[in-house]
Amino acid sequence: MNQKKGYIHIYCGDGKGKTTAALGLALRAAGRNKKVLIARFLKTDDSGEVTALEQVTGVKVLPCVKAFGFYFQMTGQQKKEAKEYYEKQFKKAWLQTIEGSYDMLILDEIMAACSYDLVSEQTLIQYLQKKPEGLEVVMTGRNPSESLLHMADYVSEIQKRKHPFDDGIGAREGIEY
């Protein structure tokens, strides 16, 4: 058994729990004195887990200082600004992971960022191909490409069977954000 090799994980699907699963893994790693860096895409810092994770030794959440709203509501100019911002966020996260000797990098909602071309999937793939051997990389979001699925060592699909959103119930504090 190779305890030194880092693997690539994908949590995907249309169900609730992709980020929750990734953050559970972050807590497990931190509990074993591993260093975890979390980069979030298409989200704001106004989410309960950000506050809680700031209190966990060994876990760092990169601030998400800009919000652009829902992609389908963005203007062309906002999409351009979002792409520049998220591309920088991705590269900043990767650089900090390497320079800080992190054991795990979580890229929350990176699949959506790639689907909307706010982060170049080709760039993501190039970085994954050159990742340090011991680095664990966790990616979340819907609809991962076949290329990303092929690269991954773990793929867990979370399927929605039922969700209050279907009945018009919006995101609830402490549950969805």
Side-chain angles (χ1 to χ4, degrees), residues 3-9 35-37 93-94 96-98 101-107 127-128 130-138 153:
Q3 293 288 323
K4 301 287 185 198
K5 180 173 174 24
Y7 291 95
I8 297 172
H9 307 239
K35 287 177 62 179
V36 181
L37 182 68
W94 198 272
Q96 282 191 26
T97 299
I98 305 306
S101 298
Y102 282 87
D103 302 295
M104 180 181 290
L105 171 62
I106 295 177
L107 300 169
Y127 278 70
L128 290 172
K130 296 177 184 175
K131 79 171 189 61
E133 184 181 2
L135 179 63
E136 211 78 21
V137 179
V138 181
D153 300 291

Side-chain angles (χ1 to χ4, degrees), residues 23-84:
L23 298 182
L25 193 56
L27 289 174
R28 178 175 285 160
R32 295 294 186 182
N33 299 313
K34 297 192 180 290
K35 287 177 62 179
V36 181
L37 182 68
I38 301 170
R40 302 165 77 243
F41 300 86
L42 302 171
K43 293 185 173 183
T44 69
D45 284 344
D46 181 28
S47 194
E49 69 265 18
V50 175
T51 304
L53 289 168
E54 288 171 350
Q55 300 171 45
V56 179
T57 302
V59 176
K60 179 180 179 183
V61 180
L62 277 183
C64 208
V65 296
K66 287 189 177 183
F68 300 93
F70 291 110
Y71 182 81
F72 66 89
Q73 294 175 328
M74 288 183 204
T75 66
Q77 180 61 32
Q78 287 171 320
K79 289 175 183 177
K80 181 180 175 189
E81 289 174 23
K83 181 174 178 63
E84 289 173 14

Side-chain angles (χ1 to χ4, degrees), residues 92-160:
K92 178 180 178 180
W94 198 272
L95 184 63
Q96 282 191 26
T97 299
I98 305 306
E99 288 179 349
S101 298
Y102 282 87
D103 302 295
M104 180 181 290
L105 171 62
I106 295 177
L107 300 169
D108 188 30
E109 289 298 342
I110 191 72
M111 252 68 87
C114 287
S115 293
Y116 294 136
D117 194 34
L118 298 176
V119 172
S120 163
E121 183 175 301
Q122 193 56 43
T123 299
L124 172 61
I125 288 170
Q126 289 170 353
Y127 278 70
L128 290 172
Q129 289 170 335
K130 296 177 184 175
K131 79 171 189 61
E133 184 181 2
L135 179 63
E136 211 78 21
V137 179
V138 181
M139 301 180 290
T140 71
R142 295 176 182 218
N143 305 316
S145 70
E146 287 301 317
S147 297
L148 290 173
L149 289 170
H150 180 71
M151 290 185 80
D153 300 291
Y154 294 86
V155 177
S156 295
E157 186 170 359
I158 299 171
Q159 180 183 7
K160 179 186 79 155

